[in-house]
């Protein structure tokens, strides 16, 4: 069960780890769509599934991540 008090950050949405949330991160998220597997990194809200909620979070952080 996700902890609703702990909100995702830009760095958690930066799946490609280049300090920018962009198309590379979107591609990773879409390739991992569905239930979590062993190496899933796209479950931004930590609910066990990569779905529209994670896509919404990724899009809300679109652009450079603050340092």
């Amino acid at each position: 069960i996700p902890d609703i008090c702990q909100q995702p950050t830009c760095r958690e949405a930066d799946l490609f780890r280049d300090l920018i949330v962009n198309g590379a991160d979107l591609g990773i998220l879409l390739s991992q769509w569905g239930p979590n597997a062993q190496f899933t990194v796209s479950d931004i809200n930590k609910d066990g599934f990569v779905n529209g909620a994670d896509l919404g979070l990724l899009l809300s952080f679109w652009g450079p991540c603050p340092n």
Side-chain angles (χ1 to χ4, degrees):
I1 299 173
D3 181 357
I4 61 171
C5 295
Q6 189 172 7
Q7 299 297 318
T9 65
C10 184
R11 290 188 183 243
E12 292 170 320
D14 179 22
L15 307 173
F16 192 66
R17 305 292 182 229
D18 60 355
L19 300 178
I20 302 170
V21 178
N22 58 20
D25 306 297
L26 178 59
I28 293 169
L29 184 137
L30 294 176
S31 72
Q32 296 183 347
W33 197 268
N36 283 4
Q38 183 178 2
F39 298 108
T40 299
V41 297
S42 300
D43 184 14
I44 299 168
N45 66 354
K46 310 284 191 259
D47 68 351
F49 295 90
V50 177
N51 55 25
D54 302 297
L55 176 59
L57 286 168
L58 184 136
L59 294 176
S60 74
F61 289 115
W62 198 267
C65 288
N67 291 336

